[in-house]
């Protein structure tokens, strides 16, 4: 039994584990590998789709199944096994169609389990896809997107996304999940789909007690998982996140995850 046997870290990617260059620093990697050598498990907990993390499988030293699409998907890449999937309901899909009609210029991206579909591709969407090193096929409108939808991203300038968020809150209230993952990404999913539920579901599947689950993230879509476990945030996190977590870490460019593991080492040695 290692020091961290039965311990799970669920970490956000962009702005948390990954630095601003989209890389895992050498110090973070070494700290994670030491944590894992002592029995710990680390899972990606991200808003990204399954296809948007595949290029990170050799980069991020995760040894637990991934929490994807803000908890809408749990996928074990080692076994290539789907553990959990929640597709968008008719009501949530309807909300996306109504928003498309109300804001006809907004760029969007629809995530299916194994594909991303770009709707009204714009410069912001193209930059986003470059950052996450993702690809997407194109559709002229949401009506051209088939299959089971997992998530809809509104991808545009912040000023427009704020309007869409206000519209969604007014027309759908608490009947859908509509949260920012950064200033240029507004995410729409079923009510009740969030990283918090995804983290606890993964812990249960792994047989890990909830009091030994630790979460770390930097933005609005991370808040649910930061509220269900002992939580951490890098210095670059939003103010709302900083006010929520129990521990503040260095900036994501300054080895935040290594600092988190150092704190956990102190706790488990005590």
């Amino acid at each position: 039994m290692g020091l961290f046997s039965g311990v799970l870290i669920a970490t956000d990617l962009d702005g948390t584990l990954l630095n601003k260059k989209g890389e895992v620093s050498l110090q973070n990697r070494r700290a994670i590998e030491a944590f894992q050598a002592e029995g710990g498990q680390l899972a990606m907990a991200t808003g990204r789709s399954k296809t948007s993390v595949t290029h990170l499988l050799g980069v991020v030293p995760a040894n637990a199944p991934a929490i994807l699409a803000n908890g809408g998907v749990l996928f074990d890449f080692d076994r290539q096994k789907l553990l959990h999937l929640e597709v968008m309901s008719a009501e949530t899909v309807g909300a996306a169609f109504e928003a498309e009609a109300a804001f006809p210029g907004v760029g969007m991206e629809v995530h299916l389990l194994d594909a991303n579909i770009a709707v009204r591709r714009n410069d912001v969407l193209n930059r986003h896809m470059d950052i996450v090193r993702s690809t997407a096929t194109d559709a002229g409108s949401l009506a051209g997107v088939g299959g089971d939808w997992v998530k809809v991203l509104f991808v545009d300038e912040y000023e427009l996304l704020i309007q869409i968020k206000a519209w969604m809150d007014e027309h759908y209230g608490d009947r859908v999940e509509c949260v920012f993952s950064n200033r240029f990404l507004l995410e729409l999913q079923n009510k009740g789909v969030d990283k918090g539920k995804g983290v606890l579901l993964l812990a249960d599947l792994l047989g890990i007690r909830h009091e030994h689950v630790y979460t770390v993230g930097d933005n609005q879509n991370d808040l649910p998982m930061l509220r269900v476990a002992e939580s951490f945030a890098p210095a670059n996190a939003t103010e709302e996140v900083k006010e929520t977590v129990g521990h503040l870490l260095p900036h994501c460019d300054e080895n935040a995850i290594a600092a988190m593991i150092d704190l956990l080492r102190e706790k488990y040695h005590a």
Side-chain angles (χ1 to χ4, degrees):
M1 296 286 288
L3 180 67
F4 294 120
S5 294
V7 174
L8 173 66
I9 293 175
T11 176
D12 177 52
L13 293 179
D14 302 291
T16 304
L17 172 60
L18 302 179
N19 60 27
K20 295 299 185 182
K21 295 180 180 179
E23 301 168 339
V24 179
S25 71
L26 180 60
Q27 189 169 336
N28 276 345
R29 176 176 294 279
R30 286 175 173 170
I32 292 169
E33 289 172 349
F35 167 78
Q36 293 169 339
E38 295 175 88
Q41 297 188 69
L42 182 134
M44 297 184 284
T46 179
R48 294 195 194 201
S49 67
K50 176 170 170 273
T51 59
S52 298
V53 300
T54 52
H55 73 281
L56 291 172
L57 297 181
V59 176
V60 174
N63 62 343
I67 301 159
L68 307 170
N70 295 325
V73 175
L74 269 62
F75 194 82
D76 187 334
F77 283 99
D78 288 340
R79 295 187 294 162
Q80 288 296 300
K81 182 177 181 180
L82 180 65
L83 304 178
H84 173 74
L85 172 65
E86 179 159 347
V87 299
M88 290 173 63
S89 68
E91 180 177 40
T92 312
V93 170
F97 273 100
E98 290 183 30
E100 178 185 34
F103 301 92
V106 67
M108 292 174 287
E109 187 176 333
V110 180
H111 289 179
L112 313 180
L113 179 61
D114 289 303
N116 301 332
I117 313 297
V119 177
R120 292 199 296 257
R121 187 187 294 262
N122 58 26
D123 289 342
V124 181
L125 196 154
N126 285 332
R127 287 199 303 271
H128 163 66
M129 292 176 62
D130 286 343
I131 290 170
V132 301
R133 301 182 190 179
S134 179
T135 59
T137 56
D138 286 276
S141 68
L142 290 180
V145 181
D148 291 327
W149 299 8
V150 176
K151 183 174 73 171
V152 171
L153 280 175
F154 299 101
V155 189
D156 220 299
E157 299 296 341
Y158 182 65
E159 292 74 15
L160 178 57
L161 298 186
I162 282 287
Q163 296 177 45
I164 296 173
K165 176 71 166 75
W167 181 93
M168 198 68 70
D169 290 345
E170 178 184 355
H171 290 82
Y172 282 86
D174 62 355
R175 289 149 51 203
V176 299
E177 297 289 346
C178 187
V179 297
F180 282 92
S181 53
N182 67 40
R183 287 177 59 86
F184 305 103
L185 299 177
L186 181 64
E187 315 207 354
L188 176 67
Q189 291 178 272
N190 290 345
K191 182 64 181 176
V193 174
D194 62 53
K195 289 188 182 184
K197 291 184 179 179
V199 166
L200 296 183
L201 176 57
L202 178 60
D204 291 342
L205 291 173
L206 296 175
I208 293 176
R209 293 163 57 185
H210 292 181
E211 59 264 36
H212 296 303
V213 176
Y214 302 91
T215 58
V216 54
D218 72 309
N219 220 305
Q220 188 179 53
N221 65 324
D222 297 312
L223 287 169
M225 74 171 179
L226 299 175
R227 290 172 174 146
V228 300
E230 188 169 341
S231 57
F232 301 74
N236 52 281
T238 66
E239 289 305 313
E240 185 178 15
V241 166
K242 290 179 183 178
E243 292 169 1
T244 299
V245 299
H247 308 274
L248 290 177
L249 302 169
H251 193 282
C252 69
D253 286 338
E254 298 172 351
N255 310 304
I257 301 304
M260 176 183 178
I261 291 171
D262 284 345
L263 291 174
L264 292 181
R265 189 175 298 281
E266 292 176 10
K267 174 177 180 173
Y268 280 87
H269 267 307

